[in-house]
Every structure is written in C-alpha cells, then in structure tokens.
DNA sequence: GTCTATAGTCTGATAGAC
DNA sequence: GTCTATCAGACTATAGAC
C-alpha cells in the first residue's frame, strides 16, 4: 500500500483537517452567497454568516481576511462556475447561438436557486472592492474571452445581428444574466421557473416587438 | 384655497419662506438622487447630502423624517416624472409601440444624466422600505396602469409579440429602464450617449438574434 | 452630542486529529 | 498524550442615523 509518505505519483492525500477546512470554506461561500443575494452586501453581517454556517466569527477570519475578500471569493467562484458551464456547453450545444441562450438560461436558473447575480452592480461598495481584485479581474476576463469567442462565431454564422458590436452583445448578455426583471417577475407574475426563464431568454434574443421589425437589406 | 391672497383669482402667492423651503427640498432631492445613483442607498450618508446641499444636517430632518423617507421621496418624484413623460408621449408619439420605445429611451437618458434607476433593486434595504410606503406604491401603480394600457394597445395593433403576457412585458420594460447594461457599456464600449440608448432600446424590442427568428404562424 | 450597529481582534477554554 | 484549530464571546474602534 502506498504509504502516506512522499512517494511520487501518489495523489495528494489531504489530511482530515485540511479536508474539513475546505468543506467549511465552501459552506462559508454558500452562506455568504445566499446572504448576498437576499439582503445585499452592506446589510449582510459577518456575525450573520458565521451564525448561518455554525462557526465562530473568529474562524471566519481564518478563511477570509475581510468582508470584502469574502464577497470577492463568492463572485470569483461564481465566475469560475459560469466559465465551466460555458466550456461544457461548447461540447453539448449545437450552435453558437444555442450556447449563448443556454448559458443565459443557466445563469437565470442559478439565481432562481438563490445565487447572487454575477455583477458588482449589487453594491457600489462591492464593485469598488472588486475593481482592485486581480483574481476576480482575471476570472471575469477569461469568461469574457470565452463569451466573446462564442459571440464572434454566432455572428459569423449569421445567428446574431450584424449591426451590433460584439462588446455591446457581451455587456447585454452579462446584464441579462443579472436581470432585475427576474425579481420583478417572480413577485408579480405567476409563472413556473421554467416559463419565467424561457420568456426572459426569448425576450433577450428575440425581442419584445412583433416579428416584422427591421428593414434589413438581405 | 384662494383665500390666502387678498384678491380672488390671484394665483396662490406663496410666502418667501415657503418658496425657499420648496426650493431647498428640491435641492435635497437632487443631491440625494445623485448620491443614490452614484454610491447606492447604504453608502450615501445624511452628512454627505447635507454637505452637498450646503445646509445643516438638522435642516435635512426638517424636510424628511428619516433616510428611508428621503430616498422614498426621490423615487416618488422620479415615478411621477416618468408618468408625466408617458402622458406627454401619448400625445406626441405616433403608435403605442413608439411610445414605449420613446419612454425607455427617455429613462435611459435620464440615467445617463445622473438619475437613479427607478427601482428598489439598488438595495434590498431600500426595497423593503418602499414596500411599505403607500405614496410610492400609489405612484408606481399609476405608472404601471398607464404602461399596461399602452402595452395592451400595442399588442392590439400587432406591434408586440402576442405570446408574451402583458405583465411580463411590463416587468421587462421596467427592468430595461434600470438596465445594469447601461453602466457596463458606459465603462466598456466607446459609444456616444445617443448610440448607447438606441442600441439598448433596439436590443430590448428587436432582440439580439438575427432576423429570421421564430416560426410564427401568421 | 448620543446611541446603535458592526467590522475586526483577542483570549482562555476545549475537543479531537495526529 | 500533545498540540493545534476552533469556540464563545468580550472587547475596541468607527461610522453614521437621528
């Protein structure tokens, strides 16, 4: 049997403690993410998070040096997950446009399940904090790059309007994933989750106006 | 009401003090609105507002009993203005759809000029405060009613997709007026204000996907 | 000026991984 | 059995409503 010892080729066997540490860190991110989505950055208190996770406040600070960095870690994880999702869709989905639609739908479902919108817009203070976080910038940069590639493909395939610049589409999609309409609709309309998401995605890509819309030259 | 002045038929002549009071109140609302848009509800402090207006903090509280009520007054005024704008468009604009497009464009231009998005979404705490403000509820109700009428007309004229329910369109338009995409685009894309607004309005009504989009039966 | 809320720190006690 | 991480919670300092 492969002793714990430093034999090469042995998968890194983590100590029980280290595993616990990682599990707790994930739990903290989950709790903070939920709070962030429900009450916002300013109103979420470190005491509340600690209480929700069931750990002491001091232990919270063993994982994250400050409230800002904790919130940044939440959004960082979400950015990474979104990117992973996009990668997965690159294999699954049939066309570039289908990938984009599926990614927006996925993001909206995440939010219905209680996730934060992937946007600093929640709080200007948080936005400011993130602007100086290199890890977050990097993760968002990667995500943007993947999306931009997808947008370019969709345009080349004639699936996206040619008169809109790529950056505009990118920002629009980002914003649609964080759409405040989701909250408005949840409060006002009686729709199932799936209907809600389908309508929002369709509204985003197909528009609200009736079919004959632009006088596009062929 | 005409008794105040000596002669009847004279427009109500306000005292100097009352005029000053109203001017100051408007100035407070302007300052608070700007702060609200720039830094958000939680981060805007009463001290900051007082300083910006150039009055003592005590005077602030002569006008508004609390921070919550001040913020509510800002959004209330904006709701009223939006409604006024919709009324004006009912005369100006040619079709119901044109009215809706023009209203969204107007709201976006307001935001470019520094106004708050007309939405509690900025801050969950603020949203909670507004949920219990009858004046705000009433103003938003009136605005929604006007918009719903316009939406119904546009649908009847075949200008809006028939497969989307009115409430869905209403919430979507509301959200588009508060679109976080505006801020993202301002930071990322080099577009003039007018281009920015035109693109956003077009994205909202015409969608991002290329023309042949749904297999609509006639 | 007063008072509350909360970020962030520190400590002595304790459980449980090693 | 030792030793380290965690716990509960008191504590400081600051910001900001009123």
């Amino acid at each position: 049997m492969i002793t714990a010892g430093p034999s090469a080729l042995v998968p890194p066997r983590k100590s029980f403690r280290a595993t616990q540490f990682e599990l707790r860190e994930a739990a903290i991110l989950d709790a903070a993410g939920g709070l962030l989505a429900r009450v916002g950055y300013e109103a979420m208190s470190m005491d509340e998070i600690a209480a929700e996770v069931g750990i002491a406040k001091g232990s919270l600070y063993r994982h994250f040096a400050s409230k800002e960095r904790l919130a940044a870690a939440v959004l960082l994880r979400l950015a990474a997950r979104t990117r992973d999702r996009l990668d997965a869709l690159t294999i699954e989905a049939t066309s570039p446009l289908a990938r984009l639609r599926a990614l927006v739908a996925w993001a909206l479902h995440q939010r219905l399940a209680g996730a934060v919108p992937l946007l600093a817009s929640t709080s200007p203070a948080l936005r400011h904090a993130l602007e100086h976080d290199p890890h977050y910038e990097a993760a968002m940069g990667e995500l943007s790059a993947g999306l931009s590639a997808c947008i370019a493909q969709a345009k080349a395939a004639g699936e996206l309007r040619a008169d809109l610049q790529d950056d505009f589409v990118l920002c629009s999609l980002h914003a649609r994933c964080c759409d405040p309409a989701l909250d408005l609709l949840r409060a006002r309309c009686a729709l199932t989750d799936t209907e809600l998401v389908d309508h929002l995605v369709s509204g985003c890509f197909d528009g609200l106006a009736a079919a004959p819309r632009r006088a596009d030259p062929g």
Side-chain angles (χ1 to χ4, degrees), chain A:
Chain A
M1 138 173 195
I2 347 175
T3 67
S7 126
L9 302 183
V10 166
R13 204 168 108 228
K14 272 171 218 135
S15 76
F16 188 80
R17 289 186 107 98
T19 308
Q20 289 288 81
F21 189 85
E22 280 172 25
L23 283 178
R24 200 165 36 230
E25 188 149 311
I28 294 170
L29 290 174
D30 290 341
L35 263 308
L36 213 45
R38 287 203 303 277
V39 308
Y41 176 70
E42 343 274 346
M44 105 182 167
S45 80
M46 295 298 265
D47 297 77
E48 212 173 348
I49 296 168
E52 189 158 312
V53 180
I55 61 175
K57 190 160 63 156
S59 308
L60 212 48
Y61 284 90
R62 298 229 164 248
H63 292 261
F64 302 100
S66 70
K67 187 179 174 180
E68 277 186 5
R69 295 182 73 94
L70 169 51
V74 170
L75 294 200
L76 184 65
R77 189 179 64 165
L78 183 58
R81 286 181 176 174
T82 307
R83 207 214 118 92
D84 289 349
R85 186 69 203 144
L86 179 61
D87 287 347
L89 284 168
T90 305
I91 300 165
E92 295 172 23
T94 54
S95 78
L97 180 60
R99 287 208 285 282
L100 295 175
R101 294 183 83 117
L103 189 70
V104 173
W106 176 82
L108 293 175
H109 271 119
Q110 294 296 111
R111 283 183 56 204
L112 284 170
V116 222
L118 178 52
L119 187 62
S121 111
T122 336
S123 150
L126 181 53
R127 172 162 53 236
H128 182 265
L130 291 178
E131 266 165 20
H132 304 302
D133 185 312
H135 291 197
Y136 178 74
E137 293 282 305
M140 288 304 284
E142 271 190 43
L143 178 57
S144 292
L147 273 171
S148 292
C150 199
I151 289 169
Q153 291 167 31
K155 247 194 191 173
E159 296 175 331
L160 281 179
R161 286 170 56 178
D163 60 322
L164 300 175
Q165 43 187 118
D166 291 14
D167 267 4
F168 175 84
V169 177
L170 179 63
C171 291
S172 295
L173 292 180
H174 185 171
R176 278 312 69 75
C177 292
C178 311
D179 206 334
L182 187 73
D183 304 295
L184 294 172
L185 284 164
R186 195 153 37 165
R188 189 179 240 270
C189 279
L191 290 169
T192 68
D193 284 2
T194 309
E195 285 170 342
L196 196 55
V197 171
D198 285 351
H199 279 67
L200 282 170
V201 171
S202 174
C204 170
F205 287 95
D206 305 325
L208 301 176
R213 58 192 189 180
R214 288 189 309 284
D216 269 0

